């Protein structure tokens, strides 16, 4: 997948975050620093060892590449009713929060389409999952956590008021999530162009669906490696 371009907006102030929101909006790429932790396997088979200790000479390049990365794509958001958007909303964007990244990732901002209610982001991000990399070690820890929410992949749809004072952050409209532990244990397959229902963060009973976010997560090969 192609790397991200420059940042498009400030971080949305979501209500269900695992980490504090950064003051600026860099589109963070996965950290690739090599770790030196001893080799061991947890209940999901993750190996905490140096990348240099692996023998990859007999692997097929495509298979090895799939085992060394997680790819997250945000295709489009289909708004259920334009009336659900505040009148001040001029543009939309999506934040992607993974348990093994230092900060949230963001798509580009796209204008609100009141006619079709469809908003295409064409976002793709590759996360380094090589053995010994920091994101792999942190995801290992998240999957081993007794709290399933720790391995959640959270998508937050936010709106932007272009007339707001400079520095005003995007406002969250709603969110949806996928759980990497569930992908590994139950689905046992990549998530391909799946439509996830988006609900307001305060709608705990999920009574009113605000729209559908179409995403792809290619992770199963890396999770099993």
């Amino acid at each position: 997948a192609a790397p991200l371009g420059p940042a498009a907006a400030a971080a949305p102030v979501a209500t269900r975050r695992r980490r504090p929101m950064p003051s600026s909006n860099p589109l963070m790429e996965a950290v690739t620093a090599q770790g030196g932790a001893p080799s061991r396997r947890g209940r999901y088979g993750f190996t905490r060892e140096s990348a240099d200790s692996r023998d990859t000479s007999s692997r097929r390049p495509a298979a090895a590449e799939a085992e060394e990365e997680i790819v997250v794509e945000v295709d489009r958001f289909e708004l259920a009713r334009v009336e659900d958007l505040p009148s001040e909303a001029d543009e939309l964007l999506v934040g992607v929060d993974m348990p093994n990244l230092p900060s949230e990732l963001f798509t580009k901002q796209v204008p609100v389409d009141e006619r079709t209610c469809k908003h295409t982001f064409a976002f793709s991000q590759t996360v380094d999952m090589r053995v010994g990399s920091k994101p792999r070690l942190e995801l290992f820890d998240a999957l081993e956590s007794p709290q399933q929410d720790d391995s959640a992949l959270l998508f937050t749809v936010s709106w932007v008021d272009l007339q707001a004072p400079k520095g005003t952050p995007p406002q969250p409209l709603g969110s949806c999530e996928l759980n990497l532990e569930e992908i590994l244990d139950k689905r046992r397959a990549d998530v391909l162009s799946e439509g996830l229902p988006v609900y307001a963060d305060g709608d705990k009973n999920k009574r009113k669906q605000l729209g559908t976010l179409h995403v792809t997560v290619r992770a199963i090969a890396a999770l099993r490696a």
Side-chain angles (χ1 to χ4, degrees):
L4 294 178
V13 185
T15 59
R16 297 174 55 221
R17 292 196 48 75
R18 291 183 291 268
R19 296 182 290 270
M21 187 65 60
S23 57
S24 60
N25 179 29
L27 290 174
M28 301 293 293
E29 295 187 357
V31 179
T32 57
Q34 298 301 314
S39 175
R40 69 175 179 88
R41 284 186 178 270
R43 62 191 170 107
Y44 288 105
F46 274 82
T47 304
R48 300 184 67 135
E49 61 184 359
S50 169
D52 295 334
S53 67
R54 251 187 340 168
D55 179 11
T56 59
S57 58
S58 61
R59 295 193 178 190
R60 293 179 302 156
E65 182 177 347
E67 292 178 0
E68 294 178 348
E69 63 186 29
I70 290 178
V71 179
V72 180
E73 299 175 359
V74 178
D75 180 20
R76 67 189 186 278
F77 173 62
E78 297 177 355
L79 184 66
R81 293 164 296 274
V82 71
E83 293 78 16
D84 291 332
L85 278 178
S87 58
E88 301 86 0
D90 297 310
E91 295 182 337
L92 298 177
L93 76 159
V94 179
V96 182
D97 192 8
M98 290 184 67
N100 60 334
L101 292 181
S103 185
E104 191 172 14
L105 305 172
F106 300 96
T107 68
K108 63 183 179 182
Q109 295 177 197
V110 300
V112 171
D113 190 332
E114 297 184 357
R115 186 178 64 85
T116 68
C117 292
K118 295 180 180 180
H119 309 85
T120 300
F121 298 100
F123 168 94
S124 181
Q125 177 68 43
T126 299
V127 181
D128 177 22
M129 288 293 289
R130 289 175 295 175
V131 171
S133 67
K134 184 175 180 180
R136 181 182 178 90
L137 297 177
E138 292 184 354
L139 184 56
F140 174 93
D141 291 336
L143 288 170
E144 292 294 315
S145 168
Q147 301 297 324
Q148 193 175 35
D149 287 348
D150 289 345
S151 56
L153 176 56
L154 180 65
F155 301 90
T156 303
V157 181
S158 298
W159 57 271
V160 178
D161 179 3
L162 296 179
Q163 304 304 317
K166 185 177 180 180
T168 301
Q171 301 301 308
L173 176 67
S175 63
C176 56
E177 67 179 51
L178 285 170
N179 193 283
L180 295 174
E181 188 173 334
E182 181 180 331
I183 291 175
L184 180 61
D185 285 348
K186 297 180 180 179
R187 291 174 178 257
R188 300 181 180 179
D190 291 330
V191 177
L192 303 176
S193 301
E194 182 167 330
L196 304 178
V198 174
Y199 298 94
D201 286 340
D203 186 3
K204 295 182 179 180
N205 295 322
K206 298 183 177 180
R207 295 176 180 176
K208 185 178 181 181
Q209 183 175 335
L210 299 175
T212 303
L213 186 67
H214 295 264
V215 304
T216 290
V217 179
R218 296 185 177 89
I220 196 66
L223 293 176
R224 287 176 174 172

